[in-house]
Structure formats: structure tokens, C-alpha cells
Amino acid sequence: MRDTPAERQRLKEALQTRIKNLKVGNAKVVMRANTHWLGNLLCEAESRELPPIRVDEPLAMGGGNTAANPMELVLCALGTCQEILYSAYAALLDIPLDSVEVSLAGHLDLREMFDLQHEGGAGFTKIRFETRLQSPASEADIRKLIETVERCCPVLDMLARPVPVTGQVHLNDKPLTPYP
């Protein structure tokens, strides 16, 4: 899919308006999502007023292999966030962009997830991404675009630095010990 010049201009104007409004107003937002278990390892997730997405595990993990698993969705979140920001900042900086593709790999030790060892944590131990850009722009302009995207990508930022996580488990509508 390629953007037309009119679509790029509309995107640029929408982003400029949003940025202008952020400078004079409150820029802090709270993102929300709700999930629920459907059975076996199949779950559904909802945000905003969008249709729900399904989350499942591969057959080898006991799932039905009907959807991406949570760890794959983390990789998808990083890749798509990068692509969105490349598109947005290319429009803002008037840098022509023909295509953006991101390939990602996350390294995971399943022994941690299955409580067989306790050495490095149950999540990814390393994530690697490779971004492929196609553009007639100069290398200097593309380097500026890359620096901006990597500095401003919220998913990359969240994965690269510790973020406090708190939570509460309820049993039969009664709160139990909070996390952590």
C-alpha cells in the first residue's frame, strides 16, 4: 500500500494539529485494555471501541494455534509502532518514504515460563529488530528520521527501560495480595 501525496499531506496536517494541541494542553493519557479468557489457552483482548482480537498459543504449547501468542504480540507491537512512527515523522519532516518493513526476533527460555529454572526471568532475554526502508531521500535525511523514530517510539522505550508494573488479583470479587 502506498500513500498518495494527498494522504501524506492529510497525515502531516493531522499530526501538526495534534502536536500544537499537546503544547497547550495536557499531554498525559492513559491507555486501557480489557482481556478475558475464552477457554483452553484462547483469550480475547479489547481496547477503545475496536473489535476484539484473539490471542492463542501454538499447538506445541497446548493451544489451538488460531492467533498470535502474547509474546508474538509484543514483537508485533514493537514492529508496527516503528512503522507508524516512520510514516508519521516522514510526513512531518517532508521525507519521502516508499516502504517500511520490520522483522523481529525475541529470545525466550521456556524453562523460565514453565518454572523449571529461575535465572533470567520468564520474558524475552533479547529482542532484535531489522528495519528495511525504501526511499529516494538522502542518507542524511534518513539518518535523521531513524534517530527520531528510535528516540520517540513508545514501545521501544517501554521495552528498553524498566517500567513499574503493579496489579491486584481478586478471587471471587475479593482482593488478594497485590503485585508485586
Side-chain angles (χ1 to χ4, degrees), residues 70-80 104-106 124 127-128:
M71 298 305 285
E72 292 163 332
L73 290 174
V74 169
L75 296 175
C76 291
L78 175 56
T80 57
L104 304 102
F124 286 131
I127 297 173
R128 180 169 176 5

Side-chain angles (χ1 to χ4, degrees), residues 95 135-146:
I95 296 174
S135 172
S138 71
E139 186 174 321
D141 284 346
I142 294 299
R143 286 189 183 282
K144 180 180 180 184
L145 179 61
I146 292 167

Side-chain angles (χ1 to χ4, degrees), residues 11-147:
L11 173 60
K12 180 178 181 177
E13 290 170 4
L15 292 169
Q16 287 172 330
T17 299
R18 180 70 167 158
I19 291 167
K20 180 182 173 188
N21 291 338
L22 291 174
K23 289 179 180 177
V24 297
N26 185 358
K28 301 200 185 241
V29 298
V30 175
M31 303 273 174
R32 298 188 187 282
N34 292 300
T35 67
H36 62 276
W37 175 58
L38 299 176
N40 192 22
L41 300 180
L42 183 64
C43 302
E44 237 176 30
E46 300 174 20
S47 62
R48 294 183 277 153
E49 300 297 321
L50 300 171
I53 61 169
R54 293 235 165 149
V55 182
D56 197 1
E57 288 288 341
L59 294 172
M61 295 285 285
N65 201 38
T66 62
N69 71 29
M71 298 305 285
E72 292 163 332
L73 290 174
V74 169
L75 296 175
C76 291
L78 175 56
T80 57
C81 192
Q82 294 262 307
E83 291 167 349
I84 288 166
L85 286 183
Y86 273 107
S87 178
Y89 279 104
L92 286 170
L93 299 171
D94 291 318
I95 296 174
L97 192 60
D98 295 331
S99 70
V100 183
E101 293 180 10
V102 181
S103 297
L104 304 102
H107 298 256
L108 184 69
D109 188 335
L110 294 176
R111 293 173 295 186
E112 297 281 347
M113 189 175 88
F114 285 106
D115 206 20
L116 298 173
Q117 79 178 26
H118 306 282
E119 294 174 9
F124 286 131
T125 57
K126 176 172 60 172
I127 297 173
R128 180 169 176 5
F129 66 89
E130 183 175 303
T131 304
R132 289 170 304 287
L133 305 174
Q134 294 291 323
S135 172
S138 71
E139 186 174 321
D141 284 346
I142 294 299
R143 286 189 183 282
K144 180 180 180 184
L145 179 61
I146 292 167
E147 290 169 9

